[in-house]
Amino acid sequence: MTKTILGAAALLSITACLLAAALHFAGMLDAATFRAVFAAASAAWFITATGWESRRKR
Amino acid sequence: MPGNVAGIAARMDKLYEFDREPVTADKLQSGSKFAGLLAGEHVAATEFVIGAFFVLHGVTARDLLLGLLLGNLLAVLSWTFICAPIAVRTRLTLYWYLQDIAGPGLTLIYNIANALLYCILAGAMISVSSTAVGLAFRVPTPALTDVFPSSALWVAITFALGLAFTILAILGFDKLSRFASVCSPWIFVVFIAGAIAMLPRLGVNPNLDNLWEIARTRIWNGVPTEGQEQFHVWHIVFFAWFANLAMHIGLSDMALFRYARSWKYGLYSAFGMYPGHMLAWMCSGVMVAAVNREMNPGRMAYEAIGVAGVFGVMLAGWTTANPTLYRAGLALQSVTNWPRWKITLAAGLATTVLACFPVFFLKLLDYVAIYGLVLMPVGAIVLAEHWIFPKLGIEQYRARKYGWIMNWRALAVWFGTLAVCYAMPFHLFFRWLPGYFLALASYTLLNWGSRKEAR
């Protein structure tokens, strides 16, 4: 269960990184906000993806 | 001397003992695992430099697209029709298969050559990471023509990073390689997001109506930077093809494909080539164009996505350098018989010293060509022995059968091919292909005499 939640959260985080770039390109996010969102989503990715990876069967 | 070589070879065998036996049917892996593994393997720090250099070499947008499509297709076909079939038939790593063909002495030379080439590549990756850390200290970027370190601060940063990467490699390869697998998808996103974020700076409209116009006039505009040679479509085709020459034509990816259910799994390499060696290269091209063609991966990523970009470049450098230091250490351990930590430290320090010289990352395209070229004849020797010898009735695996330490014919073909390639009167990028056919033909001819013995 935890593994599924972590996997989903990791997927959401990395999608947020890409979405932030797309919104910046579309002019809906200024550069500073885009960078802050990207950094936060990246941190979330590393936390959740590392948790998910450590629960994977080898 | 032969006794020494035999002793060293025996020590090396012991290190690789764990994968000595052919892979059994129950250990074969699914296609999806191959797709995932190959997708993660081809997004590295090198991609920041390679794609950017295509822009600096004045390639046009049309040539880039055609060249990358065709070159990567040729690479995928090389994995599919050359590497994977031999791997699936033997279920062995190149290390063990080469022992049967060329003897333990030549396998040792191959491993050491591979380790040294790997160290230089890892050094280039540490240099790339240094451009990211250097931003914080306002270290001037080395010029494109620089060979020696541009400042004491550059040396200090590179040395500190190299030392940190080495210590991490000593502390625990397994855990770190698992963390590295977490980094790969994110690093790929850094490329994509970085390029998307830079498009407005280049003047691309939000509705993308002028994307092709900007690509062809402001990014890949066909004008080389001063001092850089002009590249055309065939440079790109050949570069994309030989970027992993040691792995497909050189057969070192037998280690991977021996776990494949079928040789057709070679096609899964497309999952690595097209995102990593096409999309990521194009993204780094966009980023370098947006920073006025300054070859500084750290600055490219920082200007695109901020501090996260700096971490992206650092992590990309580290995730490439870490397994490289491990492999180099493994190959060299047998020669010195030192413990793993000591040889990894020595390889790491040597790599760090190399990293201080910016020439290795500023001449990365040429270095990648040389790296593939040096190991290519070994792939030709194995291919000839595996496929051509049985068809012509030439005796196979004589090194194993007769207990040779060194197959002198293989050694002569290897170094002879390199000597001929060195003298070829055309561009470095195009030399490996005639060299490959030369190695195939000369190794077959040199062994023609054993044809009668086989009958």
Side-chain angles (χ1 to χ4, degrees), chain B residues 61-390:
Chain B
R62 180 187 156 278
D63 282 357
L64 183 88
L65 282 174
L66 279 176
L68 291 181
L69 280 171
L70 182 57
N72 283 312
L73 176 67
L74 289 167
V76 169
L77 295 178
S78 300
W79 263 297
T80 310
F81 291 109
I82 293 179
C83 181
I86 299 178
V88 166
R89 276 167 61 107
T90 62
R91 301 284 178 202
L92 288 170
T93 61
L94 177 64
Y95 177 83
W96 286 110
Y97 198 42
L98 194 58
Q99 295 247 4
D100 293 347
I101 293 167
L106 194 132
T107 309
L108 179 72
I109 296 172
Y110 174 84
N111 265 28
I112 293 170
N114 208 2
L116 295 177
L117 290 164
Y118 258 128
C119 279
I120 297 174
L121 194 62
M125 294 312 97
I126 294 170
S127 306
V128 170
S129 295
S130 297
T131 64
V133 181
L135 284 177
F137 300 95
R138 298 181 190 280
V139 176
T141 322
L144 289 172
T145 49
D146 278 357
V147 174
F148 296 102
S150 50
S151 68
L153 202 51
W154 166 267
V155 174
I157 288 169
T158 310
F159 211 84
L161 270 179
L163 209 58
F165 288 179
T166 306
I167 290 167
L168 287 171
I170 291 170
L171 285 178
F173 176 76
D174 286 338
K175 278 184 184 167
L176 291 174
S177 68
R178 288 185 76 166
F179 178 66
S181 71
V182 169
C183 296
S184 291
W186 181 77
I187 292 169
F188 183 62
V189 166
V190 166
F191 278 99
I192 305 289
I196 293 172
M198 284 299 211
L199 289 177
R201 189 186 284 198
L202 288 162
V204 177
N205 296 329
N207 64 4
L208 299 172
D209 62 349
N210 63 343
L211 179 65
W212 179 246
E213 183 64 19
I214 295 288
R216 127 188 130 67
T217 55
R218 296 204 55 191
I219 306 170
W220 301 283
N221 60 7
V223 181
T225 301
E226 197 183 335
Q228 299 294 307
E229 165 193 15
Q230 171 101 47
F231 278 5
H232 300 286
V233 66
W234 288 109
H235 292 92
I236 305 298
V237 169
F238 269 75
F239 189 89
W241 191 5
F242 71 59
N244 285 109
L245 196 70
M247 281 81 195
H248 48 68
I249 297 281
L251 300 175
S252 73
D253 263 355
M254 279 175 70
L256 179 66
F257 284 102
R258 69 197 168 123
Y259 291 101
R261 293 187 203 282
S262 151
W263 59 269
K264 290 173 194 157
Y265 279 29
L267 292 169
Y268 284 109
S269 58
F271 285 94
M273 290 299 97
Y274 287 100
H277 288 190
M278 184 158 179
L279 209 49
W281 287 355
M282 291 171 72
C283 289
S284 67
V286 171
M287 285 188 264
V288 81
V291 295
N292 299 319
R293 293 186 167 201
E294 184 189 331
M295 176 49 84
N296 183 336
R299 188 172 163 227
M300 284 155 55
Y302 178 73
E303 299 243 342
I305 53 178
V307 178
V310 174
F311 277 102
V313 174
M314 269 184 60
L315 280 176
W318 170 69
T319 52
T320 323
N322 190 50
T324 303
L325 288 173
Y326 172 80
R327 285 187 197 122
L330 195 66
L332 296 172
Q333 193 181 5
S334 58
V335 184
T336 57
N337 210 18
W338 288 357
R340 175 67 51 81
W341 71 267
K342 204 171 177 183
I343 193 66
T344 308
L345 181 65
L349 287 176
T351 302
T352 302
V353 171
L354 291 173
C356 294
F357 294 85
V359 66
F360 293 111
F361 98 87
L362 293 171
K363 292 283 175 201
L364 187 67
L365 302 194
D366 286 349
Y367 177 70
V368 169
I370 291 167
Y371 175 50
L373 187 72
V374 167
L375 301 179
M376 163 277 292
V378 173
I381 288 163
V382 174
L383 187 99
E385 187 108 4
H386 187 89
W387 293 113
I388 301 174
F389 282 20

